[in-house]
Amino acid sequence: METKTRENWSSKAGFILAAAGSAIGLGNIWKFPYSVGTNGGGAYVAVYLLFLVLIGTPLMLAAITLGRKTQLSVFGAYKSIDKRWSFVGFLAVICGFVILAFYSSVGGWVLYYFKNAVTGNLNTKDPQVLAGIFSNMMNSPATLIVYQLIFMALTMLIVINGIKKGIEVTSKVMMPGLFILLIIIAIRSVTLEGSMEGIKFLLVPDFSKITLEVAKNAMAQVFFSLSIGMGVMITYGSYLDKEVNLLSTAVSIPALDTLAALIAGFATIPAVFALGFEVGEGPGLMFITLPAVFASMPLGQIFCIAFFLMVTFAALTSSMSMLEISVSYFVDELKKDRKKSTLAVGIVIFLMGIPASLSLVQGSSFYIGSLSFFDIYDKLSSNILLTTGAFLLSIFVAWILTTKEAVKEIELSGIRFKLAPVWSFLVKYVVPVGVFIILFNSYKDFIIALLN
């Protein structure tokens, strides 16, 4: 019987761009700026950076190491070392389904807005008109579902072509393009008159604003943004050659991710302050406030088109990684054909996403307790499944695989891991305790919201 050779990345740069593409998505461009605005500005940024260093980066190294050691999908990675832990891999596959179900809905909004930017419909300074465009979109079931379908079709088209010809090639084009567009917009934003207040809001922390809720939101943002708890990095790491330096890789991805989030903050928040808009707008910041900001600038329509093109790139580089988690499970574990698996999984996720989209339509009955299906998918994935997955990953690598074995895998490429004792201590003790505290409160809040 002929054994099919498993795909690998064609280069380390290709892997880093793809992994960074997974990490750099709507979590950076859409969620991070509005989370900064609604969680106290610089205080939220400070807590986010602390969690990134103490929890996010150590877990990134743990995930990539586990993936490369086993050379298997996230489900197979856990199963191959200890069958009793197979459920963690399955949890990651489920998490990918749930996240992409609501993420594809927002991806559809981005495509809709890109079209409107190109046609000039967003070229107005009037927030009322822009709020009307957003409201019309949110109250049109056909618009929401059609654009969600287009977004999922684009995602499936990339993944169906595999690692080298699909995900890697797309990432090599989209990621540099994303950074170039983001930097151009950020430069324009910080050079607007009155932008300094926005820069201060973003960078100067008021530590009195740090609460457990801010900490919980910052932790969820780290996991959502870095794609750790859902198994993307285990899956992507499984396609790495043994010669690749895992240390530099595990640092490069969070660094690029954080850089993108901060540049996105500079691209939006100073401009919002400079032009007198509300920084605490929340999720509507990108769709209502920013188009008005662009319309207030010289060459505003060009900046608006560039921005939503960039957000489309970011959304797709993340969505294709989420789809790959599930597809790799069917290809690796069940030995199914990649094309058929991609189509089947993509269709199921699209169908799961329809209630999420429709739950946002005014008068919708797609609610459980006080939460819409969209909010349920969001909170279930971001605050529950991702955090649970990250907690179990740290326990597994620290105590089941053991950090000693993980360090051996890290040093296979011929490097000396001088900070191995520090990393081992963080993964064994600091990460699980820190994540568990946030996780406990997330479970409690989610259950209360469902019951109310």
Side-chain angles (χ1 to χ4, degrees), residues 59 78 85 87-89 91-92 95 219-220 223 228-231 379-396 431-432 435-436 438-440 442-443:
L59 275 177
Y78 285 100
W85 283 73
F87 75 96
V88 184
L91 186 72
C95 185
M219 179 82 81
F223 294 145
I228 294 176
M230 74 178 95
K379 292 183 183 299
L380 178 63
S381 57
S382 299
N383 292 352
I384 304 296
L385 294 176
L386 281 175
T387 316
T388 302
F391 174 74
L392 293 173
L393 170 65
S394 66
I395 298 295
F396 186 82
V431 172
V435 176
F436 182 78
I438 302 296
L439 185 60
F440 176 79
S442 296
Y443 270 96

Side-chain angles (χ1 to χ4, degrees), residues 23-289:
I24 300 167
L26 293 176
N28 304 74
I29 315 298
W30 171 56
K31 204 170 183 182
F32 183 81
Y34 88 67
S35 294
V36 171
T38 56
N39 285 280
Y44 174 85
V45 175
V47 175
Y48 175 84
L49 292 174
L50 179 67
F51 284 154
L52 183 82
V53 172
L54 294 181
I55 294 175
T57 304
L59 275 177
M60 176 66 70
L61 180 57
I64 295 171
T65 302
L66 177 59
R68 194 183 72 173
K69 180 175 177 60
T70 58
Q71 299 282 290
L72 293 167
S73 68
V74 62
F75 180 85
Y78 285 100
K79 181 183 175 183
S80 67
I81 293 170
D82 190 329
K83 288 183 179 180
R84 294 171 297 178
W85 283 73
S86 298
F87 75 96
V88 184
F90 189 68
L91 186 72
V93 175
I94 296 297
C95 185
F97 265 78
V98 176
I99 289 183
L100 193 48
F102 88 87
Y103 194 94
S104 59
S105 177
V106 183
W109 306 352
V110 173
L111 289 178
Y112 177 80
Y113 264 72
F114 176 62
K115 183 209 76 172
N116 278 278
V118 172
T119 57
N121 292 339
L122 303 181
N123 196 24
T124 173
K125 300 176 187 177
D126 190 344
Q128 302 265 332
V129 173
L130 292 165
I133 292 172
F134 188 72
S135 178
N136 289 339
M137 177 186 74
M138 299 307 290
N139 287 298
S140 171
T143 299
L144 291 172
I145 292 171
V146 166
Y147 279 90
Q148 183 176 7
L149 176 61
I150 295 170
F151 182 81
M152 275 306 300
L154 289 171
T155 303
M156 289 157 64
L157 186 64
I158 295 167
V159 174
I160 216 164
N161 284 303
I163 293 297
K164 289 181 183 177
K165 295 180 181 178
I167 294 173
E168 187 172 346
V169 167
T170 305
S171 299
K172 282 181 175 179
V173 173
M174 288 188 175
M175 288 309 298
L178 186 153
F179 268 100
I180 290 167
L181 293 171
L182 194 56
I183 289 168
I184 290 170
I185 294 167
I187 290 170
R188 185 68 192 97
S189 173
V190 300
T191 53
L192 289 171
E193 187 177 348
S195 63
M196 186 52 67
E197 285 305 309
I199 295 171
K200 288 179 182 177
F201 179 81
L202 182 64
L203 295 181
V204 180
D206 177 357
F207 292 109
S208 67
K209 293 184 178 179
I210 297 176
T211 63
L212 184 61
E213 184 67 18
V214 169
K216 185 178 71 176
N217 291 337
M219 179 82 81
Q221 175 70 19
V222 168
F223 294 145
F224 184 86
S225 189
L226 291 181
S227 307
I228 294 176
M230 74 178 95
V232 169
M233 294 306 160
I234 297 175
T235 303
Y236 274 20
S238 73
Y239 297 113
L240 278 175
D241 288 329
K242 296 292 184 179
E243 293 77 25
V244 171
N245 184 329
L246 294 184
L247 287 180
S248 62
T249 302
V251 172
S252 298
I253 298 164
L256 285 171
D257 178 73
T258 304
L259 183 63
L262 290 173
I263 296 173
F266 281 114
T268 54
I269 291 173
V272 169
F273 271 86
L275 297 168
F277 291 100
E278 179 54 55
V279 73
E281 177 73 30
L285 178 67
M286 186 168 82
F287 298 102
I288 298 172
T289 308

